[in-house]
Amino acid sequence: MDNRQAIGSWISGPRAAAEDMGVEFGHRGAQLGLPEEGPGSIARPGRRFAALFIDWALCMLIAYGLLSGGHAQAASNWALAVFAVLSVLTVGTVGFTPGKRLLGLRVVAEGGGRLSLPRVVVRTVLLAIVIPAVIWDRDGRGLHDRLSRAVQVRI
């Protein structure tokens, strides 16, 4: 008997193999009670990366112009500090960074509402480390969001 169909391809991954066997995962955010599309749905990775790029560019400009004394290499180190402060202040107060706001995204707690300040700090530290941000669950949330019990949703 040939079990290749049940195992799936190494390219398609375990989720595709499970779906081929009839397992229903639902849409991204279904386990969190979020809609599939529209306001309140899980933010797509493309928008999240674009928002991060906008925020990083803004932080680089601030670091280069105000903190590094015109030295490009020092600006990247300062930019990380500016990014952390920007993230804690803006996500902790209004729920989004400038880049997220421009692209219509917001960071909320899993049950809805704003994140508490300690959870925002944990999320920001994990985001600055980078590794937790590139490990995603099946809802498309990074490990930094999952550990801080946060969700990035569309506005």
Side-chain angles (χ1 to χ4, degrees), residues 101-112:
R101 181 65 184 128
L102 284 173
L103 295 176
L105 304 177
R106 170 171 261 153
V107 179
V108 296
E110 281 180 352

Side-chain angles (χ1 to χ4, degrees), residues 25-35 40-43 108-112 137-142 145-146 149-153:
F25 288 109
H27 64 276
R28 288 180 182 216
Q31 291 180 329
L32 300 169
L34 300 175
S41 65
I42 294 269
V108 296
E110 281 180 352
D137 64 5
R138 72 174 175 210
D139 286 325
R141 293 189 307 158
D145 280 336
R146 190 171 176 115
R149 296 189 328 261
V151 183
Q152 291 186 55
V153 297

